[in-house]
Amino acid sequence: MPSLPVSSFPRSFCAPGRVNLIGDHTDYNGGFALPAAIDMATTVAMSPRADHRISVHTGKFSESVDFEIGALKPIRRGDWSDYVCGVAWVLESVGVGLQGANLSIRSDVPVGAGLSSSAALEVAVALALLTRSGLEMDRRELALLCQRAENEFVGVRCGIMDQLAACSGRSDYALLLDCRSMDIEYLVLPAHLRLAVCNSMVKHSLASGEYNRRRQDCEDAVAILSRVLPKVRQLRDVSLSDLERFRGDLDPTTYRRCRHVISENQRTLDAAAALRNHDLAGFGALMNHSHKSLRDDYEVSCAELDILVELAREQDGVYGSRMTGGGFGGCTISLVSENAVDNFKRNVNNGYALRTGTQSEIYICEAAGSAREHVPVQ
Ligand code: GLA
């Protein structure tokens, strides 16, 4: 790369977290999701090294790791560094030709809160390493490579939503993602609307196995349903009436998993239509249904998330509320009118502390832009 003078370093690259407004556990079924990138981000400062090593430091855990580019192997350490090594390993495997770099990571995306701190880290690291090699990459391709790092190196069989949101966010817009074609429709969010994200403080770990198990349930269902419906490749291709017709072929749990995914796809499309028509009440009702479906059919909510959702819906100026992201802890998302935000925060915080003994954190987020080089203002 090095047409740049050394004094231009470090160069910083940042990638946003995301909050999903509706459409969870649909992405790996080829379906639809409606996230927004948010104004919480991970930043990676990169400066070149003359050798073939990548040295990474994170302030958050006060830790450093160091690895030799030529000796990268898909062996996990089971911590944050897996996301960095995973991205380096994938980039090497597609022939990027990595060069030595020092990376320093900062982040204000809460970890394990369902706001996609992992994808933000992957994408920011990928941008830093690509720049070090003097390369640019199409955003969809970048998202796919980061997803591959998480699937094959970290071992979470996540879908494409988080990486695509980090690579494609736009200020003031939600993104209707078609997770099969990777097409994106940008839908403007009304100016008076606030994205209130409530952190249950229950940490989730997608690597814990339940997430991958849900995905496996969906794939097992596809294997069974495609015997009688040969055009079915993913649950995206199954209608609710087909599911009812062949309900007897599935065990009751698998049936409920499918009912969530298929109905959630439709809810996400309906929610996008509601947003286009400025129908926030309709949008909020779909969010509330989505939570019920995730809780009862997909079984990825938990008592704390259910309490946060209940408390949110009791407040004035709230259109809808649901858990967001993978679940098993993490955050809820509520759509709140700007003028109701202060009461919302106070009442939900107090109510949650009373009912659980835990102090929640509430972030009022803005829909933010995509991953980019962060150029400091002079
Ligand atoms: C996690 C995964 C995503 C998606 C959500 C659930 O965030 O990384 O790919 O599956 O869970 O919608």
Side-chain angles (χ1 to χ4, degrees), residues 83-127:
Y83 299 97
V84 180
C85 294
V87 166
W89 173 73
V90 167
L91 291 177
E92 265 300 270
S93 77
V94 297
V96 159
L98 293 177
Q99 308 208 20
N102 291 319
L103 305 179
S104 171
I105 302 168
R106 277 185 296 120
S107 182
D108 61 4
V109 188
V111 173
L115 300 178
S116 191
S117 59
S118 351
L121 177 56
E122 291 154 10
V123 172
V125 165
L127 283 181

Side-chain angles (χ1 to χ4, degrees), residues 25-31 180 218 234-236 261 265 298:
H25 292 276
T26 45
D27 58 352
Y28 53 80
N29 289 297
R180 177 177 278 173
C218 294
Q234 288 176 298
L235 284 182
R236 153 86 174 258
V261 172
N265 274 333
Y298 220 63

Side-chain angles (χ1 to χ4, degrees), residues 242-253:
D242 278 339
L243 179 67
E244 289 308 321
R245 198 146 59 103
F246 298 107
R247 180 176 184 160
D249 294 357
L250 303 171
D251 69 73
T253 302

Side-chain angles (χ1 to χ4, degrees), residues 86-87 90-91 93-94 96 122 126 130 137 140-150 160 163:
V87 166
V90 167
L91 291 177
S93 77
V94 297
V96 159
E122 291 154 10
L130 284 167
M137 190 176 273
R140 286 181 175 76
E141 203 184 328
L142 183 63
L144 283 168
L145 287 179
C146 290
Q147 181 200 19
R148 223 185 107 197
E150 191 151 344
I160 194 65
Q163 292 80 6

Side-chain angles (χ1 to χ4, degrees), residues 29 46 53 210 254 264 288 293 304 330-331 349:
N29 289 297
M46 178 276 288
R53 299 190 75 78
E210 282 297 322
T254 309
E264 184 82 347
N288 295 347
S293 178
E304 291 84 350
C331 291
N349 255 327

Side-chain angles (χ1 to χ4, degrees), residues 112-359:
L115 300 178
S116 191
S117 59
S118 351
L121 177 56
E122 291 154 10
V123 172
V125 165
L127 283 181
L129 293 179
L130 284 167
T131 304
R132 173 66 182 108
S133 299
L135 296 173
E136 284 187 10
M137 190 176 273
D138 168 80
R139 286 301 170 108
R140 286 181 175 76
E141 203 184 328
L142 183 63
L144 283 168
L145 287 179
C146 290
Q147 181 200 19
R148 223 185 107 197
E150 191 151 344
N151 289 171
E152 296 177 20
F153 195 105
V154 181
V156 177
R157 297 185 62 219
C158 66
I160 194 65
M161 167 170 66
D162 303 347
Q163 292 80 6
L164 202 51
C167 287
S168 319
R170 189 181 284 179
S171 284
D172 304 326
Y173 284 81
L175 287 60
L176 175 62
L177 306 180
D178 179 330
C179 298
R180 177 177 278 173
S181 66
M182 294 180 72
D183 283 344
I184 302 173
E185 180 184 345
Y186 288 92
L187 297 169
V188 71
L189 290 164
H192 80 281
L193 200 65
R194 292 292 170 270
L195 309 178
V197 176
C198 302
N199 191 344
S200 68
M201 309 306 278
V202 177
K203 293 241 171 184
H204 77 168
S205 161
L206 295 187
S208 70
E210 282 297 322
Y211 180 91
N212 286 351
R213 204 161 301 140
R214 292 298 181 284
R215 183 165 180 168
Q216 190 60 52
D217 288 347
C218 294
E219 288 171 1
D220 292 349
V222 166
I224 293 169
L225 292 171
S226 61
R227 285 188 217 133
V228 281
L229 298 163
K231 291 210 173 108
V232 167
R233 286 191 290 136
Q234 288 176 298
L235 284 182
R236 153 86 174 258
D237 306 315
V238 182
S239 66
L240 273 182
S241 58
D242 278 339
L243 179 67
E244 289 308 321
R245 198 146 59 103
F246 298 107
R247 180 176 184 160
D249 294 357
L250 303 171
D251 69 73
T253 302
T254 309
Y255 163 76
R256 284 188 295 112
R257 303 288 188 253
C258 295
R259 187 167 63 181
H260 164 70
V261 172
I262 298 168
S263 63
E264 184 82 347
N265 274 333
Q266 190 56 51
R267 276 189 293 274
T268 305
L269 293 174
D270 293 347
L275 207 49
R276 282 185 216 105
N277 296 328
H278 312 286
D279 173 14
L280 290 180
F283 192 99
L286 290 159
M287 290 175 79
N288 295 347
H289 280 133
S290 165
H291 184 80
K292 184 173 186 305
S293 178
L294 286 158
R295 183 192 64 198
D296 300 341
D297 277 354
Y298 220 63
E299 295 181 280
V300 291
S301 187
C302 63
E304 291 84 350
L305 290 172
D306 295 344
I307 289 172
L308 279 174
V309 161
E310 263 173 48
L311 287 166
R313 290 187 198 151
E314 287 166 9
Q315 309 308 317
D316 290 338
V318 172
Y319 294 100
S321 184
R322 61 188 285 280
M323 55 155 278
T324 184
F328 312 107
C331 291
T332 60
I333 167 76
S334 308
L335 295 191
V336 186
S337 273
E338 180 184 19
N339 55 10
V341 158
D342 290 343
N343 281 336
F344 176 92
K345 281 176 81 169
R346 190 180 51 247
N347 295 344
V348 173
N349 255 327
N350 290 344
Y352 190 69
L354 261 178
R355 287 181 64 180
T356 63
T358 302
Q359 202 59 54

